[in-house]
Amino acid sequence: LIELQNITKTYQIGAIEVPALCGIDLRIEENEYLAVMGPSGSGKSTLMNILGCLDTPSTGVHYFAGERVSELSDDRLAEIRNRKIGFVFQTFNLLPRANAATNVALPMIYSGVPPDERKAIAAEALKKVGLGDRIEHRPNELSGGQRQRVAIARAMINKPSIILADEPTGNLDSKTGEEIMQLFRALHDQGNTIILVTHEEYIAAHTQRVVRLLDGHIESDKPNGRK
Amino acid sequence: LIELQNITKTYQIGAIEVPALCGIDLRIEENEYLAVMGPSGSGKSTLMNILGCLDTPSTGVHYFAGERVSELSDDRLAEIRNRKIGFVFQTFNLLPRANAATNVALPMIYSGVPPDERKAIAAEALKKVGLGDRIEHRPNELSGGQRQRVAIARAMINKPSIILADEPTGNLDSKTGEEIMQLFRALHDQGNTIILVTHEEYIAAHTQRVVRLLDGHIESDKPNGRK
Ligand SMILES: Nc1ncnc2c1ncn2[C@@H]1O[C@H](COP(=O)(O)OP(=O)(O)OP(=O)(O)O)[C@@H](O)[C@H]1O
Ligand SMILES: Nc1ncnc2c1ncn2[C@@H]1O[C@H](COP(=O)(O)OP(=O)(O)OP(=O)(O)O)[C@@H](O)[C@H]1O
Ligand SMILES: [Mg+2]
Ligand SMILES: [Mg+2]
């Protein structure tokens, strides 16, 4: 499904080069359930942005569903990002002036779902993440963990076949975190592919494979024993 | 040192009232080391904003160092916020167009430290949180956990006697999280008061008292056994 061959990513600040990924080889099959772990600054979000077709590598080859991502048209990339991949950002990236329902419905506007249907689907998605009583709140009228859950609901709304979630439970207590993991489990059981960045072992315990990064390299890539 | 008597906080959204704190009584002595825990949306950040004199309660009485906060002048409040209290926000609240050193130095500008001294103290503080090689990076050129550590360095820069940290390790792997907890431990040993919001048990294990919130109430307030 996804293949990375010798991927590097180097950021440029003025004359300074900041290497974030230094030669990553990774192969992910359909319906896998992966955790990406590693120290702060080791390159997890950079890797997720490339997997999600949100950023391009500096060097290396990236295949998505058999196609070379570097040769895809902008329209094809936009379609992949909107329909095939659901992305939960580490910084949520919600629209500050829109309420929770509008934020969750955003991907459906791009995919052409009619307004009444969008409203009903968004309300249902917010109930699923425990925010049925916060539908009209704007991001600054929500707690940190509630904003995170709006971002999770938004990522799932177009029923994408791949979910990329960067630290989805970083602001959630363990009970609420477990509720979110039940949602991901259901998506995985339905045949979807799940890739999570986490620093919490109890979250990684839900996955079937753990890829550990260290200084932009893959330090280890092992099955995780959860059936 | 700090006393809250029957504190409530109700947010207003149009005609809707959102109760966040519903009658909080809390007494914190000097040099205590407290964790505030509880489900997402239970009122932890709202409580921290009141303790940090960043927001006012709807009803109830708040004493800080023997003074009634509601009767303090704006100048006295600004002095307390700048000199006595260091605040690590759940959303970091860094200046996006300033680099890490400038962000960390910000409280020293208000307290009148000369520029050369500020620069040296800021660089030292960033080294202490493991960011000696990221001093000139702006927030969008840093990873999530690196931004969090800039916010932690900034909170400590004026050597405040009270540190309020809202989920300071939410984006950090456990090794980096433990390094930050060593910093807090040193501050506590020097006589400072530390109040942390966390949802991670291994972080709460470092503290001496755990206050658990549930739906805007204190569900329990117990010593934590760490000597
Ligand atoms: N500005 C606001 N306007 C309206 N409601 C708000 C506002 N800020 C917070 N709330 C509501 O008040 C409640 C408490 O919020 P608070 O941020 O204190 O929770 P929290 O315990 O810090 O949660 P988390 O662990 O998710 O960060 C939440 O249910 C939230 O929706
Ligand atoms: N836009 C950028 N410009 C320059 N350097 C960057 C940029 N984005 C990230 N970096 C650097 O690249 C490295 C990897 O960043 P990345 O965000 O991928 O780490 P991470 O593993 O997600 O960390 P965290 O767990 O703290 O979120 C970091 O050291 C960071 O300072
Ligand atoms: Mg990251
Ligand atoms: Mg909070």
Side-chain angles (χ1 to χ4, degrees), chain B residues 120-137:
Chain B
I121 295 172
E124 198 46 45
L126 283 167
K127 270 182 207 125
K128 257 193 183 162
V129 293
L131 294 178
D133 58 348
R134 293 280 183 273
I135 290 176
E136 310 248 326
H137 283 225

Side-chain angles (χ1 to χ4, degrees), chain A residues 142-145 171, chain B residues 39-46 48 90 166-167 197:
Chain A
L142 292 170
S143 78
N171 282 277
Chain B
S40 174
S42 56
K44 304 181 296 294
S45 296
T46 302
M48 292 292 266
Q90 187 171 9
D166 195 342
E167 295 282 0
V197 169

Side-chain angles (χ1 to χ4, degrees), chain A residues 117-210:
Chain A
E117 236 181 280
R118 284 199 312 253
K119 215 171 158 186
I121 295 171
E124 197 49 43
L126 282 167
K127 272 182 205 125
K128 258 194 183 160
V129 294
L131 293 177
D133 59 348
R134 293 281 182 273
I135 290 176
E136 310 249 328
H137 283 226
R138 292 183 174 196
N140 68 338
E141 296 166 340
L142 292 170
S143 78
Q146 290 170 341
R147 279 179 219 138
Q148 188 154 39
R149 285 181 276 162
V150 172
I152 291 167
R154 181 182 65 187
M156 297 178 172
I157 206 75
N158 264 352
K159 304 205 179 311
S161 54
I162 304 169
I163 294 267
L164 293 169
D166 195 341
E167 295 283 1
T169 61
N171 282 277
L172 300 177
D173 59 289
S174 47
K175 184 165 165 290
T176 311
E178 286 290 352
E179 287 166 16
I180 294 299
M181 293 316 287
Q182 293 317 311
L183 277 180
F184 286 131
R185 178 67 193 251
L187 286 172
H188 181 243
D189 290 347
Q190 288 156 24
N192 296 297
T193 309
I194 315 267
I195 304 168
L196 294 181
V197 168
T198 185
H199 66 277
E200 297 184 90
E201 295 294 342
Y202 85 97
I203 296 293
H206 286 269
T207 66
Q208 296 174 330
R209 179 181 169 194
V210 177

Side-chain angles (χ1 to χ4, degrees), chain A residues 11-13 18-21 38-47 90 166-167 197 213, chain B residues 134 137 140-147 149 171-173:
Chain A
Y11 294 108
Q12 207 79 38
I13 302 181
V18 184
L21 296 177
S40 173
S42 55
K44 304 180 295 294
S45 296
T46 302
L47 176 61
Q90 187 171 8
D166 195 341
E167 295 283 1
V197 168
L213 293 189
Chain B
R134 293 280 183 273
H137 283 225
N140 68 338
E141 297 165 339
L142 292 170
S143 79
Q146 290 170 341
R147 279 179 221 140
R149 286 181 276 161
N171 283 279
L172 300 177
D173 59 287

